[in-house]
Amino acid sequence: MPKRPLRPAMANGPAMAADLIVFGEDWGGHPSSTQHLIGHLARTHKIVWVNSIGLRRPRLGDIRRVAQKLAALAGTPDAVGAPAADAPGVAPGFRVVAPRAVPWPGNPLAEAANARLLGGQLRAVMAEENIVRPILWTSLPSALPVVGTLGERAVVYYCGDDFGALSGVDHAPVLDMERRLVEKADLVIAASPALAERFPREKTVLVPHGVDARVFSSPAPPAADLPEGKVAGFYGSVSDWLDVPMLARAAQALFDWTFVFIGPVRTDVSALTRLENVRFLGPRPHAALPAYVQHWTVSLIPFRDTPQIRACNPLKLREYLASGTPVAATRFPALEPYAHLVSAIEPGGDLAGAIEAAANQAGGALARLRQLAVAQEGWDRRAEAVETALGRF
């Protein structure tokens, strides 16, 4: 892709902030790194957020979700309104678009249809919003068909996951779309060193995940449904990247502890549900999480060793540390800078021992050290790094 000219400077000041067309997950759910970053960028940029375009072919079990997508498109071409209440610093008028797109990665007919349908839809939105030559930002390879159709001044690919290992993804066609997207991108922003190594060095910058340290360190009253006594807690998606057998062994060994899981369950947890000291509380809003993590005894990151985990940079790690609560975790690359603050074991190891060791590191000076370790890693700092990278377009 030929280099696009830099935006002109204003006559009496710095260059105007470019408008952003952003492709991400459905806005308003549990905030991702993209939502955190764009929430901050929305203070100075006009944002059109395009909800998720699927990363796998439709299956029989997807009928309900497809019906919901069709219902969203049946009324108006997009939804306009304030984003999720816990997204930081979002300006009024932030626009969220329900995309007219066929979720079939790797299918040439679907790509052609999406270039026409979604490209036309977004050009109409751009005209309504008086957007000309935006930066096209995508956190999903499935946005590839519209690249080059919006008169964009630059293409930014934000890579926060290894799509070759992510569950629920058609890996081969999505990786092919990612490869073609990177070829067209002017800038790649990677969330971890392992991800950054996959892309051309001359166009890639590393922006690790951040944390809303103020939210997680400011005292919150304990949640009403948090059990009393010694609690080992986890929040996030309960999926196949968690080592369920290891967790079951720990819960059996620590019969005087309660193990609490917050989040949707997307894997077989029968080995845990049969144990009397295990509780699944279901999903909670992001803003409610400090009321749990600040008051349970030890926070858990019980990952398996997988390619996805080796490339990940989980938001919960910094949030746990910002709360000051001790952490017991299996080792993975993104943990290493904080390993001296965590009771860390090798994947599949003695989680019960790690939990008891972490519990001995509670309170006082050690809690403050954990908080200080991430105090300068706020999403505002990460957004400043992104702003600097975008400033050349």
Side-chain angles (χ1 to χ4, degrees):
M1 175 175 289
K3 279 195 172 292
R4 298 166 176 80
L6 300 181
R7 64 185 187 276
M10 296 174 63
N12 298 311
M16 294 179 64
D19 301 326
L20 294 174
I21 308 294
V22 180
F23 294 83
E25 74 282 1
D26 289 356
W27 182 273
H30 195 77
S32 65
S33 56
T34 303
Q35 290 195 36
H36 281 292
L37 290 170
I38 296 302
H40 282 280
L41 294 177
R43 297 171 177 174
T44 52
H45 298 259
K46 182 183 291 186
I47 306 292
V48 172
W49 178 282
V50 185
N51 278 342
S52 174
I53 305 171
L55 292 172
R56 63 179 174 87
R57 291 163 290 180
R59 295 174 173 84
L60 187 60
D62 296 330
I63 293 175
R64 181 177 178 183
R65 187 167 186 268
V66 170
Q68 291 172 339
K69 290 281 188 181
L70 291 174
L73 293 173
T76 59
D78 62 285
V80 183
D86 51 9
V90 173
F94 183 112
R95 188 157 181 172
V96 180
V97 174
R100 290 177 172 163
V102 180
W104 199 315
N107 183 286
L109 293 177
E111 289 191 23
N114 290 346
R116 181 179 179 87
L117 292 173
L118 184 54
Q121 180 188 16
L122 293 177
R123 286 190 293 274
V125 171
M126 289 168 58
E128 293 172 12
E129 297 291 340
N130 195 28
I131 292 175
V132 179
R133 298 186 63 245
I135 292 174
L136 190 160
W137 168 306
T138 182
S139 300
L140 300 173
S142 49
L144 174 68
V146 299
V147 172
T149 72
L150 304 178
E152 63 269 17
R153 69 180 66 197
V155 175
V156 176
Y157 174 42
Y158 176 76
C159 183
D161 289 294
D162 178 359
F163 290 107
L166 196 63
S167 298
V169 170
D170 285 341
H171 296 139
V174 170
L175 284 176
D176 179 67
M177 295 183 83
E178 181 184 65
R179 177 189 59 77
R180 289 182 284 146
L181 174 62
V182 170
E183 288 178 355
K184 296 183 176 184
D186 300 281
L187 173 68
V188 177
I189 302 173
S192 74
L195 292 172
E197 289 174 0
R198 297 171 46 200
F199 305 118
R201 181 173 299 179
E202 67 275 7
K203 66 166 69 176
T204 302
V205 297
L206 173 65
V207 179
H209 286 161
V211 63
D212 194 334
R214 178 187 57 81
V215 168
F216 281 87
S217 62
S218 298
D225 57 349
L226 185 64
E228 296 181 355
K230 294 184 288 188
V231 176
F234 170 89
Y235 65 73
S237 178
V238 181
S239 298
D240 57 6
W241 49 74
L242 299 191
D243 191 333
V244 172
M246 181 183 68
L247 282 162
R249 292 195 300 271
Q252 289 172 319
L254 301 176
F255 55 86
D256 55 337
W257 285 65
T258 303
F259 284 67
V260 169
F261 296 87
I262 294 172
V265 176
R266 295 175 174 144
T267 193
D268 179 8
V269 292
S270 57
L272 293 170
T273 55
R274 66 172 64 108
L275 301 176
E276 293 184 358
N277 61 335
V278 175
R279 306 282 186 274
F280 288 90
L281 302 185
R284 294 292 184 271
H286 187 256
L289 296 178
Y292 294 90
V293 66
Q294 289 179 12
H295 298 284
W296 58 40
T297 315
V298 171
S299 298
L300 300 177
I301 307 181
F303 289 158
R304 297 167 54 228
D305 180 25
T306 69
Q308 178 183 350
I309 293 304
R310 289 193 290 272
C312 80
N313 194 347
L315 304 189
K316 66 175 61 63
L317 171 59
R318 290 174 178 82
E319 292 171 351
Y320 284 174
L321 293 171
S323 76
T325 304
V327 181
T330 51
R331 293 187 180 277
F332 54 98
L335 180 75
E336 291 311 307
Y338 311 98
H340 62 293
L341 300 168
V342 173
S343 179
I345 58 172
E346 295 303 317
D350 179 15
L351 182 60
I355 291 170
E356 291 183 312
N360 292 327
Q361 301 170 1
L366 291 175
R368 186 59 182 152
L369 283 176
R370 286 187 283 270
Q371 292 175 323
L372 288 173
V374 295
Q376 302 303 313
E377 298 185 14
W379 285 114
D380 53 348
R381 296 286 185 94
R382 302 308 196 215
E384 288 174 6
V386 170
E387 192 74 84
T388 298
L390 297 181
R392 63 190 175 103
F393 301 120

